[in-house]
Amino acid sequence: MAHSDAWKTCLKPRKELEEVLDRVNKSIEIKDAHIELSTVARANELVGFLGEHFFPNETLSKSIGLELDEDLRNYLLEFLNDNLSVIVVHNRTNEIIASVGLALEYDGMPEVKLGNKKYALIMEYMRNRQDVMDVYKRFKCNKCVNIAFLCTHIQHRGKGLATTVFKAALDFAKELGSTPVYIHGEGSAHASQKIFENLEFEIIHRFKNEEYEVSGEVLFKNTGDVKDLICYVKEMH
């Protein structure tokens, strides 16, 4: 993802960012696993991990039958190509068992055209109240960090890995080079919403899934007891 001058002038060099995350990793303990910064070499593995463990279970994706195809794969590779995602790697198997994506964004950033029609519908849903969710206007800033795709391997859930990798990502984001740093993200499941709120994110908008219609028909049906998509922001120093 191309950066504007807003990020180029302050983002720390890659080597320094790796050193930051190494310090974060040493400050936490994860049984049989450790924290890493995503790399070009792991990019396809990370996208495949999301295809297997994120989209089949994420509330909105599951509701409309979204599947990882070549268009969505290419979008994810572009979205995550800053290689600033924080991943949890199993010590024995060397496989990714949890992750959260960090993407650098800036005011005036061009909107990406999405080839995957179902994912495009989800993004249109999240953008339809951009007027009340504008991070740049809210904080009078010109850049922010999008935190997204919080995911845990299905066989490693219930161990607190999502909270751990999310906290690690926040500690890492504070040292990207921009102070303060403004972070925004969405919670589409009770578990992710709880993590955002426990970490003192501010709610800026609450979408009612059952109220969103396309061509007169409710788009997101069968979302179970998850009635809302909640959008969050946080200012960190």
Side-chain angles (χ1 to χ4, degrees):
M1 189 175 293
H3 301 148
S4 73
D5 289 341
W7 276 110
K8 286 180 179 178
T9 56
C10 67
L11 184 66
K12 290 179 179 177
R14 177 76 183 189
K15 187 176 186 300
E16 289 184 28
L17 293 175
E18 290 172 349
E19 291 170 352
V20 167
L21 196 64
D22 186 53
R23 291 197 299 272
V24 172
N25 179 53
K26 289 177 180 176
S27 71
I28 59 179
E29 284 190 23
I30 308 174
K31 185 179 180 181
D32 300 323
H34 62 278
I35 295 284
E36 287 185 13
L37 191 59
S38 61
T39 62
V40 173
R42 280 202 187 263
N44 282 303
E45 180 189 356
L46 178 56
V47 169
F49 172 76
L50 295 175
E52 185 175 354
H53 299 286
F54 179 80
F55 291 105
N57 301 289
E58 190 275 323
T59 304
L60 302 182
S61 302
K62 185 177 180 180
S63 173
I64 61 175
L66 174 66
E67 295 181 353
L68 182 67
D69 62 7
E70 198 61 26
D71 285 322
L72 183 53
R73 176 180 290 276
N74 289 335
Y75 166 77
L76 292 172
L77 288 171
E78 175 67 16
F79 181 84
L80 299 172
N81 82 349
D82 292 319
N83 292 310
L84 297 177
S85 299
V86 177
I87 57 178
V88 180
V89 177
H90 195 279
N91 290 338
R92 179 174 56 82
T93 65
N94 199 39
E95 67 176 337
I96 298 171
I97 59 173
S99 70
V100 64
L102 296 178
L104 307 180
E105 298 181 340
Y106 57 90
D107 194 12
M109 192 170 179
E111 192 170 303
V112 177
K113 291 184 179 180
L114 296 166
N116 184 297
K117 292 181 180 180
K118 289 184 177 179
Y119 193 66
L121 288 171
I122 292 174
M123 295 305 292
E124 286 171 12
Y125 176 42
M126 291 194 288
R127 291 170 180 156
N128 83 91
R129 288 306 312 276
Q130 193 61 42
D131 57 324
V132 297
M133 301 192 314
D134 193 321
V135 176
Y136 309 110
K137 287 183 179 178
R138 174 176 286 265
F139 293 113
K140 296 181 174 60
C141 63
N142 64 351
K143 57 188 177 295
C144 65
V145 176
N146 184 352
I147 190 163
F149 303 120
L150 176 63
C151 179
T152 302
H153 190 294
I154 194 167
Q155 293 180 353
H156 293 273
R157 291 176 184 168
K159 302 176 182 178
L161 286 177
T163 299
T164 298
V165 74
F166 199 106
K167 286 180 176 178
L170 294 184
D171 288 341
F172 174 64
K174 285 192 296 185
E175 296 195 53
L176 286 173
S178 176
T179 304
V181 61
Y182 305 100
I183 302 176
H184 75 97
E186 295 82 32
S188 61
H190 293 315
S192 59
Q193 292 165 3
K194 183 178 180 181
I195 291 171
F196 273 108
E197 289 162 27
N198 284 346
L199 294 174
E200 300 181 336
F201 274 73
E202 175 189 356
I203 296 174
I204 55 170
H205 192 65
R206 187 186 296 267
F207 290 101
K208 296 292 183 183
N209 295 332
E210 61 188 14
E211 294 178 1
Y212 184 69
E213 297 183 354
V214 174
S215 301
E217 183 177 350
V218 174
L219 180 61
F220 301 110
K221 304 172 183 176
N222 306 315
T223 59
D225 62 348
V226 183
K227 304 301 182 184
D228 302 329
L229 171 70
I230 306 178
C231 304
Y232 299 92
V233 293
K234 187 177 181 71
E235 178 180 350
M236 299 183 67
H237 295 267

